[in-house]
Amino acid sequence: MSDAAARVAELRDSLQLQPHVEGGYYRRFHPPKGADGDTGVRHAMSAIHYLLEQGQFSSWHRVDAEEAWHFVEGEPLELLIYNPVCNRLERHCLGPLTGDHRPVAVVPAGAWQAARPLGQYALMTCLVAPGFKYEGFELLAESDPLAGHLAGLAPEIGF
């Protein structure tokens, strides 16, 4: 097992990560599970650990709140943000603060986003404000006409 593969296994175990519907692995750590007492309260912020391994990607999706991606460790990650209003695709390279890498990028509420690691793995912390609610999440279906457009702009991101 390579050093990177061993580190990924260690992270998945120590952070108790589970498969994410959009790809990769995650675990919500804020607010803790059951913190709202099932009252449906929307917290001011929510946070997850998010891990992508080489060959994985975060499928195109959007949320109804702002999302800040913070690089934690591994190799750089490419975050793609598509704004349908102005038909513009932005590419952000998240990693240690060097050259064109930045440790943080913010996705505006309602913008489409996708991501992929540019190396063996990338561990991120994702903060959503106001807090994530599944009702405000949309995963882009491959059959959606927008999917074909995005596949032309960013063929490296699958569905």
Side-chain angles (χ1 to χ4, degrees):
M1 179 181 292
S2 72
D3 290 344
R7 181 62 179 151
V8 165
E10 179 182 10
L11 290 169
R12 286 177 58 186
D13 183 54
S14 66
L15 296 174
Q16 302 172 355
L17 303 178
Q18 55 191 286
H20 196 297
V21 66
E22 70 196 41
Y25 302 92
Y26 85 107
R27 183 176 69 80
R28 184 178 83 172
F29 62 89
H30 180 79
K33 193 170 186 161
D36 64 4
D38 295 323
T39 62
V41 170
R42 188 166 194 176
H43 292 267
M45 179 190 78
S46 61
I48 65 169
H49 295 298
Y50 185 58
L51 176 71
L52 285 171
E53 296 179 67
Q54 186 175 40
Q56 295 180 326
F57 53 85
S58 169
S59 297
W60 287 106
H61 66 284
R62 63 182 172 180
V63 295
D64 65 350
E66 291 185 328
E67 183 169 359
W69 289 63
H70 300 256
F71 176 80
V72 177
E73 75 168 73
E75 296 175 86
L77 174 133
E78 183 179 44
L79 175 65
L80 295 88
I81 303 171
Y82 177 73
N83 183 336
V85 174
C86 61
N87 190 28
R88 189 172 121 201
L89 178 68
E90 297 177 8
R91 294 174 182 263
H92 300 269
C93 189
L94 302 181
L97 188 56
T98 60
D100 66 345
H101 299 166
R102 296 292 176 257
V104 177
V106 177
V107 179
W112 291 97
Q113 58 181 300
R116 67 186 180 117
L118 298 176
Q120 294 295 311
Y121 75 96
L123 176 65
M124 311 299 288
T125 296
C126 297
L127 306 175
V128 175
F132 179 85
K133 285 290 203 181
Y134 194 77
E135 298 79 27
F137 170 83
E138 182 181 358
L139 189 62
L140 186 63
E142 191 172 1
S143 60
D144 189 303
L146 179 59
H149 179 64
L150 292 175
L153 293 175
E156 63 278 16
I157 302 293
F159 288 90

